[in-house]
Structure formats: C-alpha cells, structure tokens
C-alpha cells in the first residue's frame, strides 16, 4: 500500500522525468531495458538500444528504424538490431542464421513451428581488414576418378569450381577488403603448397595460375592430420604470419575431400574415431585462443554422404563409431569399400562445428562453387534478427535472448516492455513477407474520418427535424392569402 | 455544441455523445502522439494512469464546455468551469486509480499480483477496475462542477462509460480471429483498440451522464393556416414561472389573435406552462378544439357540465385544430431553443 501511495505522490508531483531503467523507442509504444550482453563469451553481442548507439555504430540514419528494437503486435513480429564486438573492437561477421539461437521468454524460437519464423538480415559489408583463405584440397588418388554425368575427374570439377567468376570475386572482392588465398594439397604426411612454395595469392591472376597447377598427387587421405596442420603449425610459418600481417587478416581454412580419412589400406571406419577425437580436441584448443587471430574452419565434401540426414549430437561429447559410421559400417574397410560408396559427412560436420564453421556436402562443379562461396561469404557490420510469434505472446513484457554458437560464442538478453494500453499503427506487409513500421500519419486515417463522421452526425438531428417539418407542411405556407396583421406575436 | 443545431427531438441527446466521443478520440490521439512522436519518457507503469486521466479529463472538460456553450455562458465563466472540471476529474481519476491498485495489491497475491502489476499485460480482467475508476473520476469531476446535481447519472454514467470503453478496447484488440457474439469481428489491433476506448468512453459518457435539459428550450405556439401563417408566441414567461397564454379572436388582451373567419372563438384555447416546464392545452370553447399527434386526437371542447376545462399535455410537434371544415385554424406547439426568445 505504501508503495502505491509513493507512486501516487510521485505522479501527483508530476515528476515526468522518466525512469532511467527504460528507454522509449521512437515511433513505437515500447520501452526496453538496457540489453545485457553475456560477459563470458568470446564476442560481445551488442543489441542496439538507442539512436545514439546506432549512430555510434555508424549506421546511416535512414536505417535507424531497422537498427532499433521494434515490436509489431498485430503480426507478432519482433525485430532487433545487433553487432559483434571483440575486446574494444567492432568486428564483422559472416551470415550466421543457422548459428543463431533466438529465445523468447526462455523458449527457443523455431523456424516453421507454430507459425514461428526467424530471419537474420545482414547490413553493410564489413570493410575493416581482410581474410586469408587457406584452401586445403584433397590430392589423393580417388580425386582422379571420373564422374559419369559430367565426364570430368573430381579434381577437374574442383578446379572448375574454384575458377568460377563468382567464387573468384568472393575471394577477391576488391574495394577496401584485402583478402589473400593460400592453396595447399594433402595426401599423406604434411600438406604441400601448390607450386611448391607457400605464398599468399593476393590477386586474381596469381590465384587462377595456382588453381591451374592443382593436380592429383596419389596416396592415402590423411585428412585429419592435414586439418590439424592447417589450423596449427601452418599458422606459425613465416609466410602465413606475413600474410596475416598481425591481425589485419583473419584466417579461414577450407578443407575439401572426396572420401574418408584413410591412413592405411587396412583402416576401417571405427579406426578413425580416436583420430577424430584427437583432431576435435585440437580444434577445441584452437577455439580457446584469441578470437581475433584464431582460424575458422569450413569443410567441403565432394560426393554422396555415407550418413545422409546426420545431425551432430548436442554438446561436445566424444564421437562414437556408430555415430560416425552407422552400425553396419563400423568394421567396414575404407579403402576400396566405404570410400567408393560415399564420403564421411558425419566427421566433416563434427570437424566444421568444432572449427567454428560449416560443412558443405556437395556434388558437381556447381555444388562445389556454392560451398566455396559460402565459405568465402563476406562479413557484415551489423545485423537485424526478425522473428515471428503468435501475437498473443507479445501482450506482456518479455525477454528476448540471442545466442551465437559455432563461429564464436556470444549472447545478449533484452527485456521489452510493450504498452498494455496503446499501440502504434500496425506494420505494413512488405514483399518479403515481413512487416515494416507504418508511418504515424496513418493515425490520421483513423482520426480524421471519425472526427468528420462525428461532425456530420451532429447535424443529423437538425436535418431530420427540418426535413420532417418540411414534409408535413409546417414550414411552407399552404395558400397565397396574405396574413392579417393584428399586432401580437412575431412572424417566424 | 450549439443549441440551434439541437432541435428538441430525442436525437438531441446524441449531440453531447458525439461531442464527448470526439473529445475521447482526441485524448487517445494526444497520448499516442506524445508517446510515439514526441517520445515522451515516462515509465511503462504510468501508461495506464496517464491514458485514463487524459481521457477522463478531456471527456469531463468536453461535457462541461459543451453545456457552457449550450447555455451561452460568458467566456470567463466557461474557462473557469473547464479548469475546475479538468483539475477535479484529473486528480480524482489518479486517486481512484491508485486506490484501486492499492486494493488490488491487498486482494491479490502470487502470480495474480505479478500479472496485475505488469504494466505491459493486455488483460481486461486486471484492467477493468482501472477503466471503471477512470470513468468514475470523469463523472465525479463533472458532478462537482455541476454542483452535485444528478449524482446518480453522473457517477453511474461515468462508471458505465469507463467500463464500456474498456470492453470496447478489449474487443477491438482481441487476439483471436473468432467472431464475438456473432457480430463483431475483432481486428486483433491494439492501435484501433485505443481509438475504440476513447470513442466508446466519450460517447457513453455524453449519452448517460448529462442529458440536455428542457430548460434550454421554450414552448411556442405557431400558426400554420394561411391567415396569419407563421405568427408565433412563446408560452414561457421570461422568469420561467408558471404562465397561461390565451388564443382567440377577441381583439384585445389575448396573447394570440386568430380571425373569426377561421372558426376561432373569442376565447378559444389556452396553453399553460407550470413551474416544472410542463405544457398543457386547455379547451375554453364549445366549438371544435382538437389536439392531434401521431395516432392520437384529443377533443378539448369545453363541457359546461364539468367544473374545469378539458386539458391535455402538449409535446413538441403537436397540432392544435380550432374549428372544423372550411372554417378552421391550425396551430402547432413546438419547443425551440431559449435563445430565440
């Protein structure tokens, strides 16, 4: 009771100076509490909470409406703008829709479930620094096998994919982005640089020349060792250090294979499990290093997956033979048997996840090009996440949580307070199926017609009264006889 | 609000309702503009009190100002009344609102209390009291300014207006596609819900709290037959005391002269108004004297066997026919705004 009395007194005193806890969002009736980024994550995920923060992030004022939080309660849509910060530095990030988990009041929002939908829209390419792409191409004997459909060998398909103009443009986009590529091949032992020398290719011509020199080297596929090398000792090579130039360029490793990790002729699928564990442990250590200098690892599998529909188990539990190979293939030999049936997509998925990247299992030149394009995806300065809920759930204060996993860890929580009593005009449906905030001027479409109707209706009584009197002859004189004037009364 | 636009028909009561509905609409619009465009910074918990108080104050001011306009009060008087109404209804609405929430805090506990105190929760059950208190504050403000006349209609009307506004707000914003009561198809739109709140509240309050009083009108007798067509006399005395007006062809001393050629006797009819502004027609002649209204004719011919003349209450629009056939005069009784006197 005392609290309510205090609130009443505060109200009576007219201390309309707001509450520092809440920030009103222009153009809406919502207030937000200051977002709380997770402090124990690799990146700080900054959810923009005010125009000042959007301005500070150098977002153009025309885009501030996308940068600021927005809730459209008619359609059930919520929009939040955010960016990533490492240390004190703003960092760019590639598209990460699959790696972002959105929670609403502690429940994960799932695409397609109960009308829920999530979309992450990147904004403004990040032009700070560049990327050193280390392409680790399988050179084992199986790469010489010819595809029946295209008539090209696997190696030729890889070369064609790498020479696609859009792939080359992705590696060398020009402008402020200063990328470089290192091309390595692996079979047995340590991967070798294409051309014999470890050099960073910094222009398209050098790159095209190096791709031409890719060839089948023969031998077994020491994939795990090659990846371990590319994400470890290779980074200490002088040429790589020079190419990274301190931390101006981040490192992205793309490992391509057409089969299984295969050390010897007698290897079975289950033999790979302890080797995979060693690699995953190594990658886990790599992920714990400085977020600005550690490599990101993508894997590309060329061929048919041996375990279609494989989904990595949640958490970081050690891999098991049945998980990797499937029960029937645990003791199956790789060389000449499993390798001819498909590729080890399960291991590639686990490796990519541990390396903070994504796995792409593709067939043919076009599919490979897509995989390289995805691996060389540009980075963006900031993003907006949009999600759609049943509008019913947006009718009270709610917490929204964003969590990034994979490419790095980051998270932030924001508490949103929509007004129970008032709402701005509902959003306008755009071509992409999402709603964009409607102008305040739309309120005139409600106020003006209603106001006009009230004014018009206020004349109805007088109009009906006079019409009725006219119809019943009370107004018009019935004959032309002039009235006699006797003095009393008034004419009317 | 203009008395000349409000003829004495049942529709006149909607005049004040429409006026107050406009005020309610404007109040909602003003608060929305403050929040959305001016980005006024107040905590979410103040949305309710501010919206309730704004609508309450605006509707109360509209009601008081509307009455003052109808009565053509001096501008300074209108201004004072408006300020008084705004201050009283604003303060009382805030107090009622806080009182209600204080009581809620005592009555509820656990999750119900959390829900009731969540200023973002769209809920009719937890907001109903707030709407009711807002309406009550609005009615109380007007009641005080009107010197406690018609307390029941002000308080009950105010309470009902607030509650109806809340129901309108809720139905317009229902989060469902279902049709309610087979009539209303909700828009799931909390934007229109706010507009519905203001309009419903204002309209209901204007309709229920204060009706346009008869004292703003004056009864007239007006000639409808060609001879002396349009001649009219007011029935009421300037001091609003009881008065009787006489109609006949006696040339002197009567209030309304009608020619004998029209079948009117020397002293044919009188119309009486009492101190409660009830109008009555009395037949003073044995010649035909009829009061005609929809589906009804009353014969007022004087019966010498009776000690008093025959009389009938008059209402606006009644016709009085004196004489019959070719020799007859016709009058109408009509209530016109007092300003015309």
């Amino acid at each position: 009771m005392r609290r309510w009395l205090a609130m009443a007194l505060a109200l009576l005193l007219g201390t309309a100076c707001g509450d520092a806890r809440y920030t009103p969002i222009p153009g809406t009736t919502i207030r937000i509490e200051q977002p709380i980024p997770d402090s124990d994550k690799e990146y700080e995920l900054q959810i923009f909470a005010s125009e000042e923060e959007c301005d500070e992030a150098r977002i153009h004022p025309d885009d501030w409406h996308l940068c600021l939080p927005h809730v459209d309660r008619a359609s059930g849509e919520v929009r939040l703008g955010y960016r990533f910060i490492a240390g004190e530095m703003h960092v760019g990030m590639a598209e990460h829709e699959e790696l972002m988990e959105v929670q609403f009041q502690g429940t994960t929002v799932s695409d397609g479930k109960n009308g829920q939908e999530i979309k992450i829209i990147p904004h403004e390419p990040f032009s700070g620094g560049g990327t050193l792409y280390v392409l680790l191409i399988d050179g084992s004997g199986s790469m010489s096998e010819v595809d029946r459909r295209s008539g090209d060998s696997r190696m030729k398909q890889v070369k064609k994919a790498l020479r696609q103009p859009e792939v080359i443009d992705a590696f060398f986009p020009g402008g402020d982005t200063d990328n470089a590529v290192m091309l390595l091949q692996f079979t047995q032992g340590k991967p070798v640089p294409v051309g014999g020398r470890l050099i960073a290719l910094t222009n398209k011509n050098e790159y095209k020349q190096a791709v031409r020199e890719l060839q089948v080297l023969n031998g077994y596929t020491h994939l795990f060792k090659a990846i371990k090398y590319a994400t470890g000792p290779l980074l200490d090579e002088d040429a790589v250090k020079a190419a990274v130039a301190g931390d101006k360029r981040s490192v992205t490793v793309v490992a391509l294979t057409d089969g299984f990790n295969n050390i010897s002729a007698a290897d079975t699928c289950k033999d790979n499990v302890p080797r995979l564990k060693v690699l995953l442990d190594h990658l886990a250590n790599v992920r714990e290093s400085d977020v600005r200098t550690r490599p990101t690892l993508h894997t590309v599998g060329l061929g048919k997956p041996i375990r279609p529909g494989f989904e990595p188990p949640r958490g970081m539990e050690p891999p098991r033979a049945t998980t990797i190979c499937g029960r029937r293939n645990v003791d199956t030999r790789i060389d000449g048997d499993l390798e001819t049936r498909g590729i080890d997509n399960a291991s590639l998925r686990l490796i990519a996840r541990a390396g903070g990247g994504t796995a792409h299992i593709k067939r043919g030149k076009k599919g490979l090009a897509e995989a390289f394009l995805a691996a060389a995806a540009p980075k963006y300065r900031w993003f907006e996440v949009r999600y759609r809920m049943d509008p019913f759930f947006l009718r009270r204060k709610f917490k929204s949580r964003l969590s990034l996993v994979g490419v790095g860890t980051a998270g932030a929580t924001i508490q949103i307070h929509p007004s129970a009593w008032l709402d701005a005009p509902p959003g306008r449906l755009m071509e992409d199926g999402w709603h964009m905030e409607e102008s305040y001027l739309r309120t005139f479409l409600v106020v003006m017609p209603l106001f006009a109707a009230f004014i018009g209706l206020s004349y109805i009584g007088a109009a009906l009264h006079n019409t009725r009197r006219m119809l019943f002859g009370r107004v018009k004189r019935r004959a032309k006889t002039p009235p006699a004037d006797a003095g009393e009364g008034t004419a009317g | 609000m203009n008395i000349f636009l409000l003829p004495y028909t049942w529709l006149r009561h909607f005049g004040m309702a429409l006026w107050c509905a406009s005020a309610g609409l404007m109040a909602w619009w003003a608060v929305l503009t403050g929040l959305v465009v001016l980005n006024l910074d107040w905590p979410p918990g103040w949305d309710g009190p501010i919206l309730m108080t704004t609508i309450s104050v605006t509707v109360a001011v509209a009601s008081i100002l509307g009455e003052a306009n109808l009565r053509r009060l001096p501008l300074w008087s209108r201004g004072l009344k408006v300020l008084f109404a705004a201050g009283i209804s604003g303060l009382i609405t805030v107090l009622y609102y806080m009182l209600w929430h204080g009581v809620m805090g005592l009555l509820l506990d656990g999750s119900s209390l959390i829900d009731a105190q969540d200023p973002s929760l769209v809920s009719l059950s937890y907001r109903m009291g707030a709407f009711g208190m807002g309406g009550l504050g609005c009615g109380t403000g007007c009641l005080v300014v009107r010197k406690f006349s018609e307390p029941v209609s002000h308080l009950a009307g105010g309470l009902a207006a607030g509650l109806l506004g809340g129901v309108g707000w809720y139905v317009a914003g229902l989060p469902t596609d279902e049709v309610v009561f087979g009539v209303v198809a909700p828009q799931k739109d909390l934007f229109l819900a706010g507009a519905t709140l203001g309009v419903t509240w204002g309209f209901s309050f204007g309709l229920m709290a204060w009706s346009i009083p008869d004292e703003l009108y004056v009864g007239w007798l007006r000639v409808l037959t060609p001879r002396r067509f349009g001649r009219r006399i007011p029935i009421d005395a300037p001091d609003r005391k009881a008065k009787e007006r006489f109609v006949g062809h006696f040339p002197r001393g009567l209030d309304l002269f009608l020619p004998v050629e029209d079948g009117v006797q020397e002293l044919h009819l009188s119309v009486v108004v009492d101190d409660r502004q009830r109008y009555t027609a009395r037949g003073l002649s044995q010649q035909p004297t009829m009061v005609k209204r929809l589906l009804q004719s009353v014969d007022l011919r004087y019966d010498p066997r009776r000690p008093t003349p025959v009389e009938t209450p008059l209402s606006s629009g009644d016709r009085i026919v004196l004489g019959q056939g070719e020799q007859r005069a016709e009058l109408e009784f009509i209530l016109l705004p007092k300003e015309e006197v």
Side-chain angles (χ1 to χ4, degrees):
Chain A
M1 191 69 184
R2 204 175 280 172
R3 211 172 120 220
W4 287 106
L5 196 63
M7 199 173 157
L9 281 173
L11 197 66
L12 288 174
L13 288 170
T15 51
C17 51
D19 187 326
R21 277 185 305 157
Y22 306 108
T23 308
I25 301 299
T28 73
T29 58
I30 66 167
R31 282 81 157 199
I32 56 165
E33 287 181 34
Q34 196 58 32
I36 304 168
D38 295 354
S39 55
D40 56 342
K41 298 287 166 59
E42 294 163 347
Y43 294 104
E44 180 190 327
L45 196 157
Q46 183 194 15
I47 297 176
F48 298 118
S50 63
E51 289 180 340
E52 288 74 26
E53 288 182 6
C54 297
D55 191 28
E56 192 189 332
R58 293 181 191 164
I59 294 170
H60 195 275
D62 290 348
D63 286 339
W64 282 2
H65 66 291
L66 300 173
C67 161
L68 291 170
H70 185 258
V71 178
D72 188 320
R73 284 187 286 178
S75 59
E77 290 174 12
V78 179
R79 191 176 65 220
L80 300 168
Y82 62 92
R83 66 171 177 169
F84 295 96
I85 293 170
E88 298 289 308
M89 296 286 291
H90 170 205
V91 292
M93 186 69 73
E95 290 188 58
H96 49 268
E97 189 163 312
E98 291 173 0
L99 305 172
M100 179 65 87
E101 184 185 67
V102 180
Q103 287 189 331
F104 178 87
Q105 289 286 75
T107 308
T108 302
V109 181
S110 308
D111 229 353
K113 183 178 148 192
N114 299 329
Q116 296 174 2
E117 197 175 343
I118 305 177
K119 189 177 184 185
I120 292 177
I121 300 170
H123 286 279
E124 298 177 45
F126 186 76
S127 56
T131 306
L132 170 65
Y133 293 101
V134 178
L135 303 184
L136 199 58
I137 309 294
D138 190 345
S140 63
S142 58
M143 288 296 281
S144 60
E145 283 184 23
V146 175
D147 181 58
R148 287 178 198 164
R149 287 184 196 168
S150 62
D152 290 334
S153 70
R154 289 176 184 170
M155 182 55 82
K156 199 168 181 183
Q157 288 180 45
V158 172
K159 288 165 84 168
K160 279 185 174 175
L162 287 172
R163 282 204 299 262
Q164 293 277 314
E166 58 268 30
V167 174
I168 297 173
D169 287 342
F171 285 136
F172 301 101
D176 294 337
T177 309
D178 181 23
N179 288 350
V181 175
M182 276 189 174
L183 211 48
L184 289 92
Q185 281 194 277
F186 68 91
T187 53
Q188 294 170 206
K190 196 171 132 184
V192 290
V194 174
R197 245 175 6 109
L198 198 58
I199 50 169
L201 312 167
T202 52
N203 63 61
K204 292 180 181 178
N205 289 335
E206 287 176 4
Y207 167 81
K208 285 178 192 169
Q209 180 59 39
V211 169
R212 267 189 222 111
E213 292 177 27
L214 278 172
Q215 56 184 314
V216 179
L217 302 172
N218 292 321
Y220 289 105
T221 312
H222 291 195
L223 171 68
F224 296 169
K225 280 184 182 171
I227 291 174
K228 194 175 175 186
Y229 169 76
T231 54
L234 176 71
L235 305 179
D236 293 328
E237 297 281 348
D238 290 340
V240 176
K241 281 183 179 170
V244 168
D247 58 357
K248 278 188 180 172
R249 288 193 183 120
S250 59
V251 180
T252 296
V253 177
V254 183
L256 180 141
T257 183
D258 66 337
F260 279 71
N261 182 64
N262 191 9
I263 304 287
S264 67
D267 278 358
T268 60
C269 186
K270 78 174 177 193
D271 293 335
N272 270 343
V273 175
R275 297 169 190 156
L276 178 62
K277 186 177 179 310
V278 170
L279 176 62
L280 295 179
D281 288 344
H282 161 75
L283 291 174
N285 287 334
V286 170
R287 298 304 295 169
E288 282 174 11
S289 59
D290 190 344
V291 72
R292 287 166 292 184
T293 55
R294 73 186 185 199
T296 302
L297 173 65
H298 301 280
T299 55
V300 181
L302 173 57
K304 190 175 138 192
I306 201 83
R307 296 216 57 205
F310 169 81
E311 283 298 325
R314 282 183 173 271
M316 286 297 176
E317 58 188 51
R320 291 187 304 175
T322 49
T323 313
I324 304 299
C325 314
R327 284 188 187 172
R328 283 182 296 180
N329 300 325
V330 169
D331 295 314
T332 310
R333 230 174 58 145
I334 294 170
D335 194 16
D337 191 345
L338 268 183
E339 204 172 37
T340 59
R341 285 194 264 150
I343 55 172
D344 184 7
N345 62 302
S347 295
L348 293 180
R349 286 287 298 271
L350 290 173
I351 293 167
R353 187 176 74 169
T358 47
H360 307 271
I361 311 301
K362 301 286 183 182
R363 298 172 82 174
K365 176 186 78 177
K366 202 174 167 187
L368 281 176
E370 286 170 5
F372 287 125
L373 275 174
K379 292 181 175 176
Y380 295 91
R381 293 184 60 226
W382 65 282
F383 300 84
E384 52 170 305
V385 59
R386 298 176 182 179
Y387 65 89
R388 187 179 290 132
M389 303 285 300
D390 186 320
F392 179 75
F393 295 111
L394 302 181
R395 292 178 169 231
R396 64 182 313 157
K397 67 180 177 189
F398 59 89
K399 267 186 185 164
S400 236
R401 179 169 168 69
L402 307 181
S403 311
L404 181 75
V405 288
V407 286
T409 55
T413 306
I414 183 171
Q415 175 108 38
I416 298 178
H417 299 260
S419 172
W421 308 85
L422 294 158
D423 203 2
R428 189 173 65 254
L429 184 63
M430 307 302 284
E431 285 177 359
D432 60 1
W434 293 85
H435 290 77
M436 199 51 70
E437 48 267 65
E438 187 59 90
S439 161
Y440 165 78
L441 294 178
R442 190 182 166 84
T443 59
F444 284 86
L445 286 179
V446 174
V447 173
M448 290 305 155
L450 275 175
F451 203 57
F454 293 153
I455 291 174
L457 285 171
S458 67
Y459 284 88
I460 287 282
L464 286 177
H465 178 72
N466 290 333
T467 306
R468 198 185 64 161
R469 283 174 57 74
M470 196 174 71
L471 290 175
F472 284 92
R474 306 268 177 111
V475 182
K476 195 178 177 186
R477 189 177 301 186
R478 294 173 192 171
K480 288 183 179 175
T481 316
D485 193 351
E488 86 301 328
T490 53
Chain B
M1 291 291 287
N2 184 339
I3 192 70
F4 291 108
L5 288 177
L6 298 173
Y8 191 85
T9 65
W10 60 270
L11 279 172
R12 73 186 187 280
H13 297 297
F14 285 96
M16 183 57 90
L18 292 168
W19 169 256
C20 289
S22 304
L25 180 70
M26 289 298 146
W28 158 76
W29 198 32
V31 178
L32 186 69
T33 304
L35 210 53
V36 173
V37 180
L38 305 178
N39 211 22
L40 294 178
D41 186 7
W42 64 68
W46 289 20
D47 281 357
I50 286 174
L51 182 66
M52 293 297 107
T53 307
T54 309
I55 296 182
S56 168
V57 164
T58 316
V59 171
V61 161
S63 179
I64 294 298
L65 182 64
E67 182 191 351
N69 287 349
L70 291 178
R71 293 183 189 279
R72 302 278 173 110
L73 296 179
L75 279 179
W76 64 266
S77 174
R78 293 184 208 189
L80 275 182
K81 277 176 179 279
V82 159
L83 286 176
F84 199 36
I88 301 252
S89 52
L91 276 176
I92 290 178
T93 301
V94 172
L95 284 176
Y96 280 165
Y97 186 92
M98 295 305 166
L99 192 69
W100 169 262
H101 274 268
V103 172
M104 292 266 284
L106 294 175
L107 294 179
L108 301 175
D109 57 2
S111 60
S112 303
L113 185 60
I114 293 170
D115 284 344
Q117 290 178 340
D118 179 356
S120 298
L121 180 68
V122 182
S123 153
L124 184 62
S125 50
Y126 291 119
R127 307 282 174 230
M128 207 64 192
F131 287 118
M133 293 301 109
L136 205 55
C138 180
T140 310
C142 291
L143 179 66
V144 173
V145 176
R146 289 191 177 120
K147 298 173 184 170
F148 299 95
S149 66
E150 302 177 47
V152 175
S153 67
H154 274 94
L155 297 179
L159 184 67
L163 294 176
L164 281 172
V167 170
W169 168 81
Y170 184 69
V171 170
L174 266 180
T176 172
D177 291 320
E178 291 171 18
V179 173
V180 176
F181 305 129
V183 181
V184 184
Q187 300 297 306
K188 295 199 289 186
D189 192 337
L190 288 168
F191 165 64
L192 288 179
T196 311
L197 163 67
V199 169
T200 313
W201 180 333
F203 191 85
S204 316
F205 188 81
L207 201 59
M208 292 186 284
W210 183 79
S211 55
I212 294 174
D214 288 352
E215 69 194 50
L216 291 176
Y217 296 88
V218 167
W220 291 78
L221 273 181
R222 182 170 175 270
V223 181
L224 292 177
T225 38
R227 267 189 280 258
R228 298 180 63 73
F229 175 82
R231 288 282 156 181
R232 60 183 187 175
I233 56 162
I235 309 298
D236 299 68
D239 58 1
R240 307 305 295 236
K241 286 185 178 166
K243 185 83 180 170
E244 186 166 13
R245 300 284 192 185
F246 295 92
V247 178
H249 80 249
F250 196 78
R252 287 186 181 177
L254 294 189
D255 296 293
L256 181 61
F257 170 83
L258 286 172
V260 69
E261 294 84 350
D262 285 348
V264 179
Q265 299 303 298
E266 282 181 317
L267 192 59
H268 202 135
L269 174 85
S270 76
V271 176
V272 180
V273 59
D274 63 13
D275 51 4
R276 293 174 65 188
Q277 214 184 347
R278 288 177 300 195
Y279 297 91
T280 310
R282 286 177 180 165
L284 303 178
S285 163
Q286 293 182 41
Q287 293 303 310
T289 308
M290 301 287 285
V291 170
K292 293 188 173 183
R293 55 178 73 107
L294 187 66
L295 303 176
Q296 192 181 19
S297 292
V298 183
D299 188 352
L300 294 183
R301 255 186 293 203
Y302 180 67
D303 183 354
R305 292 168 299 180
R306 295 181 58 157
T308 56
V310 180
E311 58 184 38
T312 183
L314 283 177
S315 26
S316 185
D318 287 352
R319 281 186 306 134
I320 304 167
V321 180
L322 309 179
Q324 61 184 351
E326 289 295 312
Q327 285 191 319
R328 68 176 202 158
E330 195 173 321
L331 302 166
E332 71 169 336
F333 174 74
I334 186 170
L335 281 160
L336 294 174
K338 197 172 71 173
E339 299 292 327
E340 293 217 13
V341 176

